Amino acid sequence: MRYQTDRKMFTPEDAQLPDANEAIEFLEQNPDIEFVDLLLLDMNGIVRGKRVEKDKLQKAYEQGIALPISIYGMNIKGTPVEETGLGLEIGESDAICYPVAGSLSRQPWQKRPIAQLMLEMYEDKETPLFADPRMILRRIVRQFKARGLTPVSAYELEFYLIDSKAPGNAPLPPVSPITGKRPENTQVYSLDELDEYAELLTQIIEAAREQGLPADTIVAESAPGQFEINLKHTDDALAACDHSILLKRVIKQVAHDHDLDTTFMAKPYADQAGNGMHLHISLLDDDGNNVFEPEAEGEMTDMLRYALGGMLTLMPQYLAIMCPNINSYRRFAPDFYVPNAATWGIENRTTALRIPGDVPAATRIEHRVAGTDANPYLMMAALLASIMYGIDNKIEPSEPVVGNAYDLDNEPLPTNLRDALRELSSSDAMRQFLGTDFVDVFVTCKEKELEEFEQHVTALEYDWYLHAF
């Protein structure tokens, strides 16, 4: 394989193979299980994998499961991008995937007894694959541990319920199960909206908790059929990302049981709010103290200032990770509360980084830029990397924004995927933390998507230009 740079960044500590006793005990406790879905998240945040009979489960723990390396060189359509060098150039070769310890669970939405198990990809038993986003994040978490720090984090995910039987490709809000009408608007935090879909939303929470996912509150957002589910914080950054991916699966599958569809697309409706994915982060020291907690009211710790400084300084460089698709940038429309500049503020939802006004012990940073189309492992990795960069280099943040950040004349973030990819590709910091080989593969995949998209003639172009000249 031509990619050899990033593999040197891993240590034996990054290779965490599971104990096969986990599989044996699970099957003893769940003798009715017939199949197991093996899940591997690709670079786009899409779940790939295979379904195996339960008698193959122990072998998966002991010997691993072979899957193509090209999974990490695929575009959003699932087609290998040959320019990455991860497809035909290496003979469409396989690598070995091992289970993620603690991820084996039942799938409560299945009509037949089927379990699921998350995987990670390795070159060999001691070397994680450089392009596996979960492995990249684990390496960064290990670097925090070496500094005596542990990230504490939680995701908030927005999504739309949509009509699965709507004609054409464009989405439509579902018909209300109570009124029988298709809504045209809604009220943010509306309890009536929650009541209309109470059974579905309750089943989502129940199914999530049955899988051990710490799903917390549900709120109705500002558009018809849009909701947000919050996950509780955890001091395991990898688990926080696992929770978000598995929660998406729960939401989709439970919605299907109600003859509805869902979308986590960043901007499914031109005239409605997009789907955001906010991430809350704080840091604990070895004694369990929050290093962001101020000693006195109105003060900020050095750690918090430097973390803000790093996240703000590198934001243009990691934006392509937060907003990885062409559609992602349609969220940055006026009046939809998506931050369009590297700003921060205290209890200010118009800024990119918000310090919530909770009790001092819960002081944290909320990152408000990414859409739910982002890969949560890469998002977490990029944000933790920028925090580490800020702390290591003692970067001071800009002044906090008071009032409406949209009224200020700040340097805007990249407004399209091509510019964001240029920033990422030329970022020494992102290459240092995420891996230069990984950055090259990611940028190559996304540039090829752009190339294909820009060759497509849209219906709007026919409307505007076909008979205009």
Side-chain angles (χ1 to χ4, degrees):
M1 187 185 299
R2 63 169 123 154
Y3 299 108
Q4 295 294 318
T5 302
D6 291 358
R7 73 193 314 270
K8 300 174 184 177
M9 301 171 70
F10 292 104
T11 71
E13 186 179 348
D14 296 316
Q16 298 183 11
L17 301 185
D19 187 339
N21 286 325
E22 180 177 283
I24 296 170
E25 292 173 5
F26 178 84
L27 293 178
E28 288 175 349
Q29 296 167 7
N30 298 270
D32 61 325
I33 289 294
E34 298 176 5
F35 298 94
V36 182
D37 287 346
L38 305 178
L39 314 177
L40 185 68
L41 195 74
D42 74 4
M43 199 175 291
N44 298 291
I46 296 174
V47 175
R48 312 279 179 190
K50 60 174 67 174
R51 177 170 293 177
V52 300
E53 295 179 341
K54 69 175 183 180
D55 59 4
K56 302 290 195 304
L57 182 60
Q58 185 175 343
K59 179 182 177 182
Y61 275 78
E62 294 172 345
Q63 301 178 27
I65 294 288
L67 285 171
I69 296 174
S70 61
I71 283 177
Y72 291 112
M74 287 182 174
N75 61 21
I76 195 69
K77 301 185 301 180
T79 304
V81 176
E82 293 302 334
E83 287 81 355
T84 64
L86 299 181
L88 295 176
E89 183 176 316
I90 57 173
E92 273 292 338
S93 61
D94 289 338
I96 300 299
C97 298
Y98 287 96
V100 173
S103 68
L104 182 57
S105 66
R106 297 179 71 98
Q107 297 183 105
W109 59 81
Q110 296 282 6
K111 293 180 173 56
R112 299 179 67 179
I114 300 176
Q116 68 181 22
L117 178 65
M118 301 185 73
L119 302 176
E120 299 172 314
M121 188 173 282
Y122 288 75
E123 288 188 40
D124 53 56
K125 284 190 174 184
E126 296 181 352
T127 311
L129 185 77
F130 76 94
D132 186 333
R134 202 173 191 281
M135 297 298 198
I136 293 170
L137 175 56
R138 177 179 289 160
R139 185 179 65 213
I140 290 175
V141 170
R142 185 244 304 161
Q143 292 172 330
F144 269 92
K145 183 179 178 181
R147 290 165 169 78
L149 297 171
T150 299
V152 175
S153 57
Y155 277 104
E156 300 173 352
L157 287 81
E158 294 176 346
F159 66 97
Y160 276 95
L161 293 174
I162 56 179
D163 190 340
S164 60
K165 299 176 182 177
N169 293 327
L172 285 174
V175 173
S176 167
I178 293 179
T179 67
K181 298 178 181 179
R182 198 183 304 278
E184 296 183 359
N185 53 62
T186 189
Q187 297 289 330
V188 67
Y189 293 101
S190 168
L191 294 179
D192 290 341
E193 187 85 355
L194 294 179
D195 288 341
E196 288 191 68
Y197 296 96
E199 183 179 356
L200 183 154
L201 298 173
T202 298
Q203 288 180 12
I204 287 174
I205 295 296
E206 289 175 348
R209 290 176 178 170
E210 189 173 336
Q211 288 195 308
L213 307 179
D216 194 3
T217 57
I218 302 180
V219 298
E221 284 294 328
S222 57
Q226 189 184 35
F227 299 91
E228 177 185 274
I229 297 185
N230 299 336
L231 289 158
K232 295 179 180 178
H233 66 271
T234 173
D235 61 2
D236 184 337
L238 288 158
C241 299
D242 296 343
H243 295 159
S244 68
I245 288 300
L246 296 177
L247 179 59
K248 281 186 177 183
R249 280 176 58 80
V250 168
I251 292 170
K252 285 179 175 290
Q253 297 300 329
V254 173
H256 289 164
D257 288 344
H258 287 256
D259 293 324
L260 294 175
D261 204 348
T262 58
T263 182
F264 295 90
M265 182 180 179
K267 186 73 170 177
Y269 299 107
D271 59 347
Q272 300 288 354
N275 286 321
M277 182 163 65
H278 298 173
L279 179 60
H280 294 248
I281 299 179
S282 59
L283 296 175
L284 302 181
D285 63 20
D286 285 338
D287 295 323
N289 301 309
N290 181 0
V291 300
F292 291 169
E293 180 181 354
E295 292 185 2
E297 185 176 353
E299 295 183 354
M300 293 180 64
T301 67
D302 290 344
M303 284 290 202
L304 178 55
R305 293 200 325 274
Y306 298 153
L308 286 168
M311 295 173 87
L312 292 167
T313 299
L314 297 185
M315 194 175 294
Q317 300 173 40
Y318 62 68
L319 185 67
I321 300 293
M322 309 294 110
C323 303
N325 300 302
I326 296 162
N327 176 261
S328 305
Y329 296 84
R330 302 197 191 282
R331 284 180 60 241
F332 294 85
D335 305 322
F336 288 116
Y337 299 100
V338 180
N340 54 15
T343 55
W344 76 280
I346 298 172
E347 200 53 82
N348 190 334
R349 286 185 168 87
T350 68
T351 56
L353 305 179
R354 167 179 170 256
I355 308 298
D358 291 336
V359 296
T363 300
R364 62 194 185 277
I365 301 171
E366 178 190 12
H367 196 286
R368 300 176 52 80
V369 176
T372 45
D373 57 338
N375 182 316
Y377 300 95
L378 295 180
M379 176 179 174
M380 182 80 76
L383 295 186
L384 290 179
S386 66
I387 289 173
M388 195 183 309
Y389 179 85
I391 292 173
D392 287 352
N393 295 283
K394 298 183 178 180
I395 299 176
E396 293 285 349
S398 56
E399 290 298 313
V401 172
V402 177
N404 189 351
Y406 301 110
D407 290 340
L408 302 178
D409 186 23
N410 292 305
E411 180 70 23
L413 294 168
T415 58
N416 60 79
L417 181 57
R418 186 176 300 282
D419 287 344
L421 289 173
R422 289 192 182 111
E423 290 275 2
L424 175 60
S425 183
S426 61
S427 172
D428 292 337
M430 287 296 103
R431 288 182 177 275
Q432 173 190 343
F433 288 106
L434 303 183
T436 192
D437 292 339
F438 163 78
V439 169
D440 286 341
V441 169
F442 182 91
V443 170
T444 298
C445 284
K446 292 302 173 181
E447 285 182 339
K448 294 303 291 184
E449 284 181 26
L450 264 170
E451 181 181 313
E452 182 176 347
F453 182 87
E454 291 173 346
Q455 291 173 354
H456 178 70
V457 181
T458 67
L460 187 60
E461 289 173 270
Y462 289 128
D463 288 343
W464 284 8
Y465 308 125
L466 188 62
H467 300 293
F469 307 107

